[in-house]
Amino acid sequence: MKPADVRAKIVASLAARDPHRTEADLQGDIYALLTTGGLSLEPHQVAKLEVPTRDGTRRRLDVEIGHAVIEVKKDVRKPSMKAEAEEQLAGYVAQQTRSLGTRYVGILTDGTDWHLYHLVEDVLVEVAHLSLNSTAPDHDRLIEWLEAILATETAVQPSSGEIERRLGAESPAHLLDHASLRNLYLHASLQPEVQLKRALWGKLLRTAFGQAFNDDEDLFINHTLLVLTAEIIAHAVIDYDVSRTGDLTPQAMARGTRFADSLIHGVVEEDFFDWVLDVSGGPEFVTDLADRIGRFNWSDVK
């Protein structure tokens, strides 16, 4: 049987909502799905089963992979079951976020419904939800959803379709980035430097668009994320290594210091949106974003 057919069979089994299946059965299917090749896992990203919560109890979480943990329940439509699982996820995600110093996410599923969470002030907040058709599940859609979160594939061709699936406004990766950036902004919005850049941004756009401009907080956050993404891509297209293993700092990518050193102006420069560099957790956010963008093969972009 071809790997794609194997994955389709596994996803059909996961999504079936068979009342006779145990959580262990679902856990085994998820582990099988993660290891059949569709997610292009690196050696350090191998899925782990039955991960101790290390919270002083004997509780365990079901599957850990990369910077994400997956908790499995028989039916997450039941409020009490979902609430219990979210509480368990919250403690582990908070612990791993502090330990790793980077974004760590939680996924809760019963095989049919998949809920994605990130941490805000030690509180688990849901940012995306995927629901499969229990009778005819789309296994490619689930793989794409998981891959956008885990960012396991490398040398991705940056076609419009691939960019939309992995970074687009409806992708879980974008929803996570927006939620993370919004949290950073809420913590920093009273800082004078951040207030000044937000005010200058608003003044410029109001001059350009007049009454059509709505000085909205979410618009400022979205604009920041869009510009940061474009600035990182600008470096990657001319063959700078923007991944975590490269030598570009978050400051260099967001302020274009390499371009300035080469007397290239008007590409990436200091602007309203580098406020993120001056807030706690901001440089780490830029590093994480660049690492995910760096998995595309930008060298072929003309």
Tab-separated table of all heavy atoms in Angstrom, residues 27 44-45 48 59 63 77 80 110 118 126 160 171 178 180 182 199 229 231 249 251 257 267-268 271-272 284 292:
chain	number	residue	atom	x	y	z
A	27	GLN	N	-4.485	7.280	20.207
A	27	GLN	CA	-3.092	7.690	20.383
A	27	GLN	C	-2.180	6.924	19.427
A	27	GLN	O	-1.294	7.502	18.783
A	27	GLN	CB	-2.665	7.435	21.826
A	27	GLN	CG	-1.208	7.743	22.129
A	27	GLN	CD	-0.857	7.367	23.556
A	27	GLN	OE1	-1.605	7.645	24.485
A	27	GLN	NE2	0.274	6.721	23.735
A	44	HIS	N	15.414	15.084	15.199
A	44	HIS	CA	15.120	15.671	16.512
A	44	HIS	C	13.626	15.917	16.712
A	44	HIS	O	13.205	16.343	17.787
A	44	HIS	CB	15.876	16.995	16.672
A	44	HIS	CG	15.399	18.089	15.760
A	44	HIS	ND1	15.744	18.135	14.428
A	44	HIS	CD2	14.582	19.150	15.976
A	44	HIS	CE1	15.186	19.196	13.870
A	44	HIS	NE2	14.473	19.821	14.776
A	45	GLN	N	12.842	15.628	15.689
A	45	GLN	CA	11.410	15.883	15.782
A	45	GLN	C	10.597	14.599	15.939
A	45	GLN	O	9.383	14.623	15.800
A	45	GLN	CB	10.934	16.629	14.532
A	45	GLN	CG	11.532	18.026	14.407
A	45	GLN	CD	11.293	18.620	13.039
A	45	GLN	OE1	11.384	17.933	12.031
A	45	GLN	NE2	10.998	19.903	13.000
A	48	LYS	N	7.147	11.450	20.503
A	48	LYS	CA	7.307	10.694	21.739
A	48	LYS	C	5.929	10.417	22.325
A	48	LYS	O	5.048	11.279	22.314
A	48	LYS	CB	8.142	11.490	22.749
A	48	LYS	CG	9.521	11.896	22.241
A	48	LYS	CD	10.195	12.831	23.234
A	48	LYS	CE	11.513	13.356	22.693
A	48	LYS	NZ	12.134	14.357	23.610
A	59	ARG	N	0.491	12.003	35.994
A	59	ARG	CA	-0.215	12.174	34.735
A	59	ARG	C	0.767	12.231	33.563
A	59	ARG	O	1.916	12.651	33.710
A	59	ARG	CB	-1.055	13.457	34.763
A	59	ARG	CG	-2.200	13.404	35.751
A	59	ARG	CD	-3.044	14.649	35.662
A	59	ARG	NE	-2.265	15.858	35.962
A	59	ARG	CZ	-2.771	17.081	35.963
A	59	ARG	NH1	-4.049	17.266	35.676
A	59	ARG	NH2	-2.014	18.117	36.255
A	63	VAL	N	1.147	12.545	23.121
A	63	VAL	CA	2.150	12.558	22.056
A	63	VAL	C	2.837	13.916	22.042
A	63	VAL	O	2.175	14.958	22.020
A	63	VAL	CB	1.509	12.312	20.665
A	63	VAL	CG1	2.595	12.237	19.593
A	63	VAL	CG2	0.667	11.048	20.660
A	77	ARG	N	-16.188	16.831	22.454
A	77	ARG	CA	-17.448	17.578	22.457
A	77	ARG	C	-18.035	17.649	23.864
A	77	ARG	O	-18.893	18.502	24.135
A	77	ARG	CB	-18.450	16.924	21.504
A	77	ARG	CG	-18.049	16.979	20.034
A	77	ARG	CD	-18.998	16.184	19.179
A	77	ARG	NE	-19.006	14.764	19.545
A	77	ARG	CZ	-19.757	13.833	18.960
A	77	ARG	NH1	-20.562	14.188	17.958
A	77	ARG	NH2	-19.716	12.573	19.351
A	80	SER	N	-16.901	18.656	30.052
A	80	SER	CA	-16.078	18.272	31.207
A	80	SER	C	-14.775	17.616	30.751
A	80	SER	O	-13.705	17.867	31.322
A	80	SER	CB	-16.851	17.324	32.121
A	80	SER	OG	-17.225	16.135	31.418
A	110	ASP	N	-9.951	14.435	19.436
A	110	ASP	CA	-10.572	13.117	19.575
A	110	ASP	C	-10.508	12.369	18.240
A	110	ASP	O	-11.208	11.386	18.037
A	110	ASP	CB	-12.028	13.237	20.058
A	110	ASP	CG	-12.885	14.100	19.144
A	110	ASP	OD1	-12.439	14.457	18.034
A	110	ASP	OD2	-14.028	14.436	19.529
A	118	HIS	N	-2.425	28.193	22.273
A	118	HIS	CA	-1.143	28.754	22.698
A	118	HIS	C	-1.355	29.438	24.043
A	118	HIS	O	-2.479	29.546	24.543
A	118	HIS	CB	-0.555	29.698	21.636
A	118	HIS	CG	-0.997	31.121	21.778
A	118	HIS	ND1	-0.114	32.172	21.752
A	118	HIS	CD2	-2.227	31.669	21.931
A	118	HIS	CE1	-0.784	33.305	21.888
A	118	HIS	NE2	-2.059	33.028	21.987
A	126	GLU	N	-7.439	29.054	22.814
A	126	GLU	CA	-7.607	28.371	21.536
A	126	GLU	C	-7.485	29.366	20.391
A	126	GLU	O	-8.111	30.422	20.403
A	126	GLU	CB	-8.966	27.671	21.486
A	126	GLU	CG	-9.174	26.866	20.214
A	126	GLU	CD	-10.418	25.984	20.243
A	126	GLU	OE1	-10.959	25.760	21.348
A	126	GLU	OE2	-10.831	25.516	19.172
A	160	SER	N	2.449	30.318	-4.872
A	160	SER	CA	1.383	31.046	-4.186
A	160	SER	C	0.525	30.094	-3.354
A	160	SER	O	0.099	30.430	-2.241
A	160	SER	CB	0.517	31.797	-5.202
A	160	SER	OG	-0.047	30.898	-6.145
A	171	SER	N	-4.334	29.959	7.703
A	171	SER	CA	-3.500	28.847	8.171
A	171	SER	C	-3.334	28.914	9.682
A	171	SER	O	-3.315	29.997	10.280
A	171	SER	CB	-2.118	28.900	7.505
A	171	SER	OG	-1.356	29.980	8.026
A	178	HIS	N	-0.243	35.649	14.737
A	178	HIS	CA	-1.022	36.834	15.075
A	178	HIS	C	-1.346	36.862	16.565
A	178	HIS	O	-1.242	37.912	17.215
A	178	HIS	CB	-2.313	36.868	14.260
A	178	HIS	CG	-3.140	38.089	14.495
A	178	HIS	ND1	-4.061	38.181	15.526
A	178	HIS	CD2	-3.174	39.291	13.866
A	178	HIS	CE1	-4.624	39.373	15.515
A	178	HIS	NE2	-4.109	40.066	14.518
A	180	SER	N	0.338	35.441	19.011
A	180	SER	CA	1.574	35.698	19.756
A	180	SER	C	1.957	37.171	19.677
A	180	SER	O	2.346	37.789	20.682
A	180	SER	CB	2.717	34.843	19.196
A	180	SER	OG	2.446	33.469	19.331
A	182	ARG	N	-0.019	39.715	19.025
A	182	ARG	CA	-1.021	40.501	19.752
A	182	ARG	C	-0.704	40.499	21.250
A	182	ARG	O	-0.812	41.537	21.922
A	182	ARG	CB	-2.420	39.933	19.506
A	182	ARG	CG	-3.517	40.644	20.283
A	182	ARG	CD	-4.893	40.066	19.965
A	182	ARG	NE	-5.904	40.676	20.802
A	182	ARG	CZ	-6.439	41.863	20.603
A	182	ARG	NH1	-6.047	42.583	19.576
A	182	ARG	NH2	-7.352	42.350	21.418
A	199	ALA	N	1.424	55.768	16.822
A	199	ALA	CA	0.846	57.068	16.474
A	199	ALA	C	1.337	57.545	15.108
A	199	ALA	O	0.551	58.060	14.297
A	199	ALA	CB	1.176	58.093	17.553
A	229	THR	N	7.261	39.724	7.972
A	229	THR	CA	7.360	38.584	7.059
A	229	THR	C	8.039	38.999	5.761
A	229	THR	O	8.938	38.304	5.260
A	229	THR	CB	5.962	38.016	6.763
A	229	THR	OG1	5.358	37.578	7.990
A	229	THR	CG2	6.037	36.843	5.800
A	231	GLU	N	10.060	41.521	5.264
A	231	GLU	CA	11.456	41.874	5.509
A	231	GLU	C	12.335	40.624	5.610
A	231	GLU	O	13.462	40.591	5.091
A	231	GLU	CB	11.559	42.717	6.783
A	231	GLU	CG	10.993	44.118	6.607
A	231	GLU	CD	10.896	44.886	7.907
A	231	GLU	OE1	10.882	44.266	8.987
A	231	GLU	OE2	10.816	46.134	7.840
A	249	THR	N	20.799	38.369	13.135
A	249	THR	CA	20.079	38.611	14.377
A	249	THR	C	18.666	39.107	14.053
A	249	THR	O	18.402	39.581	12.941
A	249	THR	CB	20.786	39.678	15.226
A	249	THR	OG1	20.752	40.924	14.509
A	249	THR	CG2	22.231	39.279	15.511
A	251	GLN	N	17.426	41.811	15.057
A	251	GLN	CA	17.582	43.236	14.778
A	251	GLN	C	18.022	43.462	13.333
A	251	GLN	O	17.526	44.365	12.647
A	251	GLN	CB	18.615	43.849	15.736
A	251	GLN	CG	18.142	43.968	17.176
A	251	GLN	CD	18.145	42.645	17.943
A	251	GLN	OE1	18.689	41.637	17.468
A	251	GLN	NE2	17.543	42.635	19.123
A	257	THR	N	20.088	45.967	8.664
A	257	THR	CA	21.456	46.460	8.838
A	257	THR	C	22.421	45.920	7.783
A	257	THR	O	23.358	46.613	7.389
A	257	THR	CB	21.979	46.116	10.246
A	257	THR	OG1	21.857	44.697	10.462
A	257	THR	CG2	21.183	46.837	11.318
A	267	VAL	N	15.048	49.012	0.921
A	267	VAL	CA	14.595	47.614	0.910
A	267	VAL	C	14.057	47.245	2.286
A	267	VAL	O	12.862	47.013	2.466
A	267	VAL	CB	15.728	46.657	0.485
A	267	VAL	CG1	15.216	45.214	0.450
A	267	VAL	CG2	16.275	47.042	-0.883
A	268	VAL	N	14.950	47.173	3.265
A	268	VAL	CA	14.545	46.960	4.657
A	268	VAL	C	15.254	48.005	5.500
A	268	VAL	O	16.488	48.103	5.482
A	268	VAL	CB	14.929	45.551	5.154
A	268	VAL	CG1	14.515	45.384	6.620
A	268	VAL	CG2	14.280	44.477	4.299
A	271	ASP	N	11.589	51.140	10.822
A	271	ASP	CA	10.255	51.636	10.516
A	271	ASP	C	9.355	51.541	11.745
A	271	ASP	O	9.826	51.259	12.844
A	271	ASP	CB	9.655	50.873	9.326
A	271	ASP	CG	9.686	49.357	9.515
A	271	ASP	OD1	9.580	48.906	10.690
A	271	ASP	OD2	9.801	48.617	8.522
A	272	PHE	N	8.053	51.731	11.526
A	272	PHE	CA	7.102	51.676	12.642
A	272	PHE	C	7.039	50.297	13.280
A	272	PHE	O	6.656	50.148	14.438
A	272	PHE	CB	5.683	52.013	12.147
A	272	PHE	CG	5.567	53.251	11.330
A	272	PHE	CD1	4.977	53.214	10.080
A	272	PHE	CD2	6.039	54.464	11.805
A	272	PHE	CE1	4.860	54.361	9.313
A	272	PHE	CE2	5.928	55.615	11.041
A	272	PHE	CZ	5.339	55.563	9.793
A	284	GLU	N	12.713	37.037	20.154
A	284	GLU	CA	12.483	35.594	20.030
A	284	GLU	C	11.348	35.318	19.033
A	284	GLU	O	11.411	34.352	18.274
A	284	GLU	CB	12.127	34.995	21.390
A	284	GLU	CG	13.282	34.979	22.396
A	284	GLU	CD	13.510	36.314	23.081
A	284	GLU	OE1	12.698	37.250	22.868
A	284	GLU	OE2	14.503	36.434	23.825
A	292	ARG	N	10.653	29.650	10.485
A	292	ARG	CA	9.605	29.005	9.692
A	292	ARG	C	9.634	29.475	8.238
A	292	ARG	O	9.418	28.687	7.318
A	292	ARG	CB	8.230	29.270	10.328
A	292	ARG	CG	8.042	28.554	11.665
A	292	ARG	CD	6.615	28.657	12.146
A	292	ARG	NE	6.206	30.019	12.448
A	292	ARG	CZ	6.521	30.654	13.567
A	292	ARG	NH1	7.257	30.059	14.491
A	292	ARG	NH2	6.100	31.892	13.787
